[in-house]
Amino acid sequence: MSGRKKSISMTFSVLELDFTIEKPAMFNLSENLNKILIKTETVKDRMMILNEQEAQGDCDFIPNFRQQTEHLFGSFARLKAGQSPVMLAEFLNQKTVEINDIVKQSADGTAGVISQTVFFCVFKNLIVMSSAHVNRKALETYFNWILRKNSNKHDDFKLSYKKNTTSTVPIGNIKSIQLGDVFLNSSEFQKKSHRITLDALKHLLSDVNDLNDFKNEDIVEAVLTLKINKKAAAKAKTLDTTLRIVDGEDVIITGRDGKIIRGSMYEVKAKREIEQSGSGYYNEQAIESEMRQIIKAVINEQVVT
């Protein structure tokens, strides 16, 4: 009996272009990138050296790419020189090379090691990429580099996280809201007085001899948790009221289904389980399919989770 195929958990983030100056009219990232990539004859032509003082040093590059129905899908990787190698030197002279072919190679005749593997899908000016939390800046730098290298008129842009189409959550779905110390210490919050009874403070600070000697600045961290009474809210007819999501790590909302939402999570981000390919490596077809579905949902103004 054959065993069940393994899967890997991948997080996909949706990004959009944020130009440092006014956005050029009719700029289309997927179209411009594809035109440039097609013109490159080898993988080596797409290699961006990270340190110009080290010609044989680390570099970022796009090993493989393909465009279909305006979707440009590809892989992005960093080649680390002088470490335990896995990339055959002959790959550098090919037009494209599959990431799976690179990963499964032995150390014989290699040129370096692949330290990061990222997948991206670009539709016009929308980008879905994997592992954005550690690789977004690198991909941003690379895209600007290859566009600038092939055009004298390119204006640099940043890859910014796209926000979900909703910025509110129904009160009836919330069990509790936790406000961390950054929020509590904000000037807006401290404009008003927030009193804690003396008995409660004595219980919490039983080892403090004199509360008069205890000052607000002695508190280095504080968390305030607000619990929502669903029955009381129902009587007050407030369940249909929506709460504005605060964009920040320091505000945590816990839903009645146990789901935890941070303000920063309302960036368009989705975690998917991707079944591995038959050879046990990256299933690029499945990855591209998921990315296309996410792009479609964003275009249709659906909430992506």
Side-chain angles (χ1 to χ4, degrees):
M1 184 175 68
S2 60
R4 185 178 178 182
K5 286 185 179 180
K6 294 182 179 180
S7 62
I8 56 174
S9 180
M10 300 186 73
T11 299
F12 302 124
S13 298
V14 181
L15 313 171
E16 56 187 348
L17 305 190
D18 181 11
F19 281 90
T20 53
I21 60 174
E22 186 177 351
K23 180 180 177 181
M26 303 301 290
F27 182 81
N28 186 317
L29 179 60
S30 57
E31 181 181 314
N32 280 276
L33 272 177
N34 187 57
K35 286 180 179 178
I36 291 171
L37 295 175
I38 286 177
K39 289 180 180 178
T40 58
E41 296 183 356
T42 66
V43 172
K44 191 181 297 183
D45 295 334
R46 299 191 296 273
M47 285 187 155
M48 181 187 75
I49 299 173
L50 300 185
N51 185 349
E52 294 183 358
Q53 305 302 318
E54 299 179 14
Q56 303 300 319
D58 300 351
C59 59
D60 287 346
F61 67 110
I62 291 178
N64 191 31
F65 64 91
R66 57 178 175 270
Q67 186 180 47
Q68 187 177 13
T69 61
E70 296 187 84
H71 293 76
L72 175 63
F73 176 78
S75 54
F76 174 71
R78 175 161 295 179
L79 181 65
K80 303 283 288 184
Q83 295 187 14
S84 177
V86 295
M87 183 167 176
L88 291 174
E90 65 187 56
F91 284 158
L92 304 182
N93 295 317
Q94 296 180 11
K95 174 77 173 180
T96 60
V97 56
E98 296 284 347
I99 278 290
N100 287 342
D101 291 336
I102 298 174
V103 172
K104 67 185 179 183
Q105 291 300 325
S106 65
D108 295 333
T110 56
V113 62
I114 297 297
S115 64
Q116 294 285 351
T117 300
V118 178
F119 295 96
F120 65 84
C121 187
V122 186
F123 177 77
K124 296 183 179 178
N125 290 332
L126 274 179
I127 306 100
V128 177
M129 70 173 293
S130 62
S131 305
H133 61 293
V134 291
N135 294 294
R136 176 180 58 88
K137 186 64 179 178
L139 187 64
E140 171 191 299
T141 301
Y142 182 86
F143 279 172
N144 278 299
W145 168 79
I146 200 166
L147 287 165
R148 194 185 312 113
K149 181 182 177 183
N150 291 274
S151 173
N152 295 325
K153 299 181 180 180
H154 173 66
D155 296 315
D156 283 1
F157 55 75
K158 293 182 179 180
L159 297 183
S160 300
Y161 288 103
K162 186 171 180 61
K163 302 298 181 183
N164 252 317
T165 54
T166 184
S167 60
T168 61
V169 61
I171 290 289
N173 295 344
I174 298 173
K175 182 179 180 181
S176 67
I177 305 167
Q178 188 178 91
L179 307 177
D181 62 321
V182 174
F183 186 87
L184 294 177
N185 289 330
S186 66
S187 58
E188 184 65 27
F189 193 83
Q190 291 187 353
K191 285 180 181 178
K192 298 180 180 179
S193 174
H194 303 277
R195 300 183 62 184
I196 300 177
T197 65
L198 185 60
D199 287 342
L201 195 58
K202 285 181 178 179
H203 178 72
L204 291 171
L205 306 172
S206 58
D207 292 334
V208 177
N209 294 323
D210 189 350
L211 287 176
N212 293 325
D213 294 334
F214 191 85
K215 300 178 182 179
N216 288 337
E217 52 264 32
D218 292 329
I219 300 177
V220 295
E221 184 177 4
V223 174
L224 176 65
T225 300
L226 312 174
K227 292 188 176 180
I228 308 296
N229 186 326
K230 188 173 183 179
K231 290 183 179 179
K235 290 180 181 178
K237 297 180 180 179
T238 58
L239 286 182
D240 292 333
T241 303
T242 57
L243 180 75
R244 181 172 62 87
I245 300 295
V246 178
D247 182 21
E249 287 284 339
D250 212 51
V251 179
I252 303 172
I253 296 172
T254 302
R256 296 192 178 277
D257 58 358
K259 184 176 181 180
I260 294 177
I261 301 172
R262 291 180 182 268
S264 60
M265 288 175 65
Y266 262 68
E267 296 165 351
V268 185
K269 188 183 299 182
K271 181 175 283 189
R272 298 287 188 268
E273 294 297 321
I274 305 294
E275 191 175 84
Q276 290 180 320
S277 64
S279 57
Y281 297 109
Y282 292 108
N283 189 336
E284 290 195 14
Q285 185 175 358
I287 294 171
E288 181 179 1
S289 177
E290 289 290 349
M291 288 181 163
R292 282 171 170 262
Q293 289 179 29
I294 292 171
I295 289 173
K296 182 178 180 180
V298 171
I299 292 173
N300 292 332
E301 298 187 347
Q302 298 173 357
V303 177
V304 175
T305 57

